Amino acid sequence: MQTKATNGGMRYMMTEACGISEARYKAGLLTRPKGPVEKKLERKFEVSSSNVTRDQARTVTEPDADTQSFIQVELVVPPWAEGYEFHPTDGNHVYMLDGLVENEDGEVIEARDAPKNLFTVPGSVLELDGKQRAQKWSFEQVASFSRKTCLFRDVALEFYFKDSRSLLIVFPNKKRRQEMTDKLTSSIAARSISLSRSPLLQRTPLLGRMSSKALSGIRDELSTAQRKWQAREISNFTYISILNQSSGRTPGDATQYPVFPWVLADYSSETLDLTSTSTFRDLSRPMGALSEARREAARQRYDSLKSVEETPFHYGTHFSSSMIVCHFLIRLEPFTHMFKTLQVRRKVTQLIYDLRREICFSDLPRAYHSASQDLRGDVRELIPEFFTCPEFLQNSANLDFGVQQDTGKKIHDVKLPPWAKEDPLLFIIEHRKALESDYISENLPAWIDLIWGYKQRDADSLNACKFYFMHEYNLIIFYYLQDLDSIKDELEREATVGIIHNFGQTPRKLFDAPHPLRLMHGPTTLPLGTQYGVVEDIQLLIQSSQPVSEISQPVAALVVDMTSERVVPCPHEILSVPQFSYEQIAWGFVDQSSELLVTGSSDSMLRLWKLTRKDASTSLSQTHILLSGSEDGTAAIWDLNRAVYVRSIDHKCAEESQSEKCSVQLVAINDSMGYIATCSIKKLCLHTINAHPIAELDLTLANPSDGHITSLAFHEREYSRIGILATGTSSGTIHLRTWTAADTPPGEKAQWKFFTLRTLRCREGFDGRTSKVTALQFVGEMLYHGEESGKVYDWALPD
């Protein structure tokens, strides 16, 4: 049985069969490994792959490999829509209990039986009939936390856990939040001091620019993130994500959901031309001022209100709100239910925000026209899912949205622009390319000035038509509507909460001066000062003349040891523990957290073992998705956080006599983008993290002299315009392949296929033979391969 766990992040989220998906974020911390210590193996879970069905699929999130200060959120219903109680106990653990609250006498009671004044989110609609669950984390598992607001009340706290989940907790008041903060501060601070002194946070010759990942995290100051963005060490997507979190935005609260820009203006061409400036949206103006007609309408609205001594504003709607978020994500739970809840609230409070023209998000080109040209007030921006998650564009749950009023056609999937070729994945890939293009990199500071900068609400913003309805600004809502806690009338409080949900909230201002520009000299797809990259200069890769490492047995795996700055070869059934390469475990597979051991056996069982260390040293686990290949022709995807089966990828053959050729022998996961590669003797397959098929290569048509595939590895980079999958063969060659839909015939749906970029021929040994390539590993912009002879070589670019 072949197994593989991820050791980085995904930009996709694995979900149930309906395809729930959200763009999520991650935070990274590293701990300094101690010396050799005693440890014991402790049985943690046992899950049988043969007894789990697709009906038992669970929601799974995977962290982003971005060098950003976010962590992924696993949240079924946001805190404002469900009753949670968060309890510190015995000083060692924190517990999250669904459906239970503590009354004024200290008694824990059912939330459905509790009076409304016990709930911590005034005026919110609560889901009290859901399943009761309990989760707990030790204080050691809390990577960090940050203070947040909820409905303009400064009483929330967002926890970031080492298992790559986060939780937004809304406390009854600041005092209760401070009690929790005090309990965590000393533990987090002590570990932060230790981390700041760790040599792992420095760049190394081995890891090169990849080590910028180690420098990221919640501890990064905004100025540090800004410098890294200017130096092209982090992507545009990552930097915008950091700005969102720094200004209080979080995926845990739909009223403060991360905001991203519309970057394109071309939703009608057959081919997207990213070299033409006319392809892009003008980032120097807000959506409500992109056309002269819109600017004039906004000025007239402002002047009319001012003339009658009313508080003037240009726009009566906002670029981000919970209604907008749920509108975009209406095809996915829990947002389908949330949207219905908000619609009910809207009718009760008689809010003026109107989505009747486009109650269901069904047409992307029309949505852009509405937000950029329509004079009826739609000024919405985008959400991160537009750059990360194709599932939200598909009605996988077959929800009934009715028919279009003008055509009578049934509303199902979202209509995409022609250049997306009816493929949500192609749209996401091309849209992300646009976000990371040179044009957007050069002009993004102008948009940042509008959303988080000096143009947010000053006099210049009035000239640019940038002043929104008063309730959207934090300072004004407290002055005009008062603090929610001070509103005693229940109906008035409900109405106020409804206004916030429907109108949205302006992010906290971060910059008082114009945002600096990005440095764009040199190869713009690489960090500043880096001249060569695998994607950009694949023809320049050269094999080392001598082995960089060697063992007496065939190399089965290559483990990166960050302490000694080397790649450690491992033979079959013996593996070095990541971050503790001087310690080894025999008979099994270890994930990249150094805390879990995963074993697969002939009885169709996967077993998770927990490694505990007597010195109680800890490390950040970013390993949460396990991929296991089986002899029955399936590759199963597992959630390590919950030790549950999620779904399977099928390699099965129609003829039983061919079943041996369909056995999944190799698996690999692209940590940064969420691709999954699986390989049998007959075919090589590429899927998304949600098991949606992308490309397939029939290996039976290959030249027999090429041998069969014996190893797989993805090139890893926070963002790369081209994905690369390396495949080693029994004949001693390495094929570097990508996947593309460029050859799709006009008018047809996108057709993906593998495309070979380069074939590397490994050096012959003293016996004149080329050894079988048994292991592959990309480390930054360098490729390592291990051979059946026990030797390890690197393929490097020029200095």
Side-chain angles (χ1 to χ4, degrees), residues 319-336:
F319 56 75
S320 177
S321 68
S322 57
M323 182 64 80
I324 291 173
V325 172
C326 295
H327 171 73
F328 282 139
L329 300 178
I330 193 171
R331 287 165 176 77
L332 307 177
E333 289 292 0
F335 300 99
T336 306

Side-chain angles (χ1 to χ4, degrees), residues 621-651:
S621 171
Q622 294 182 348
T623 303
H624 312 290
I625 303 301
L626 177 71
L627 187 61
S628 63
S630 304
E631 292 182 353
D632 65 355
T634 61
I637 304 172
W638 306 81
D639 172 13
L640 290 184
N641 275 340
R642 300 178 181 177
V644 295
Y645 164 85
V646 180
R647 57 174 56 85
S648 292
I649 294 171
D650 194 0
H651 273 253

Side-chain angles (χ1 to χ4, degrees), residues 19 26 53 73 216 241 245 267 280 312 325 327 387 439 460 549 569 586 664 716 745-746 753:
K26 70 142 194 179
T53 66
V73 178
S216 69
S241 299
Q245 194 214 25
Y267 293 90
F280 298 93
V325 172
H327 171 73
F387 305 93
Y439 179 89
D460 290 339
S549 186
V664 178
E716 296 286 354
K753 66 178 183 179

Side-chain angles (χ1 to χ4, degrees), residues 669-690:
I669 302 176
N670 182 291
D671 298 336
S672 56
M673 299 302 293
Y675 297 115
I676 291 176
T678 56
C679 186
S680 62
I681 294 178
K682 293 191 65 174
K683 60 184 178 180
L684 173 67
C685 297
L686 183 72
H687 291 75
T688 68
I689 194 63
N690 283 323

Side-chain angles (χ1 to χ4, degrees), residues 690-735:
N690 283 323
H692 175 77
I694 303 176
E696 182 177 306
L697 181 65
D698 188 349
L699 301 178
T700 62
L701 302 178
N703 191 328
S705 63
D706 292 340
H708 60 276
I709 295 178
T710 53
S711 53
L712 298 174
F714 281 103
H715 174 242
E716 296 286 354
R717 191 189 285 178
E718 183 212 337
Y719 172 74
S720 178
R721 58 185 175 84
I722 296 176
I724 294 179
L725 174 65
T727 60
T729 67
S730 58
S731 64
T733 59
I734 301 173
H735 299 282

Side-chain angles (χ1 to χ4, degrees), residues 286 313 315 317-319 379 466-470 472-473 506:
F313 56 86
Y315 311 117
T317 61
H318 199 248
F319 56 75
V379 296
K466 186 62 175 57
F467 201 76
Y468 295 97
F469 187 46
M470 66 179 63
E472 296 147 14
Y473 290 106
T506 298

